[in-house]
Amino acid sequence: NVKEYQWQQMYSYAVQYFKEHGDLNVPFGFSCDNGKSLYEWVNTQRRTYQAGKMAYEHIELLRKVNFRFEPKYRRKSPKQNEVRPETSS
């Protein structure tokens, strides 16, 4: 299956990126040795997951590299959870 082969190839690049950087927060424009955009691939995986169309095996593989399935803009930063002290005028 050509699509599965291509997915596995890009997954191997994602694993390599994860090992080097400790996350999969791939910057815009980051490309692999094969000329394909790892940034675009990561975003495609998020969209596929959100649409409920991702194969269970792919979900499990992505979890092994701590893949964040929600888009970055939906993630809560630690600061959003902080209680801010009131300031007096």
Side-chain angles (χ1 to χ4, degrees):
N1 181 330
V2 174
K3 279 186 110 174
E4 182 62 20
Y5 173 79
Q6 291 172 337
W7 193 94
Q8 291 293 337
Q9 183 182 34
M10 290 305 291
Y11 176 75
S12 69
Y13 284 115
V15 170
Q16 181 181 349
Y17 185 93
F18 177 78
K19 286 178 180 177
E20 291 175 13
H21 301 277
D23 60 42
L24 282 175
N25 298 326
V26 181
F28 178 78
F30 187 91
S31 295
C32 304
D33 295 341
N34 65 359
K36 304 238 183 210
S37 171
L38 186 58
Y39 172 84
E40 289 297 327
W41 184 82
V42 165
N43 285 318
T44 298
Q45 301 318 300
R46 287 191 181 109
R47 285 191 304 273
T48 303
Y49 177 81
Q50 295 296 325
K53 296 181 179 181
M54 182 173 283
Y56 177 78
E57 296 81 14
H58 291 176
I59 294 169
E60 290 301 305
L61 287 170
L62 289 168
R63 284 183 175 152
K64 288 182 180 183
V65 290
N66 297 325
F67 187 80
R68 303 289 300 267
F69 289 98
E70 68 279 354
K72 194 172 188 174
Y73 67 86
R74 286 191 182 169
R75 297 180 203 151
K76 288 186 177 181
S77 70
K79 289 183 179 182
Q80 288 176 317
N81 294 328
E82 291 178 1
V83 175
R84 296 182 186 179
E86 291 184 30
T87 57
S88 56
S89 302

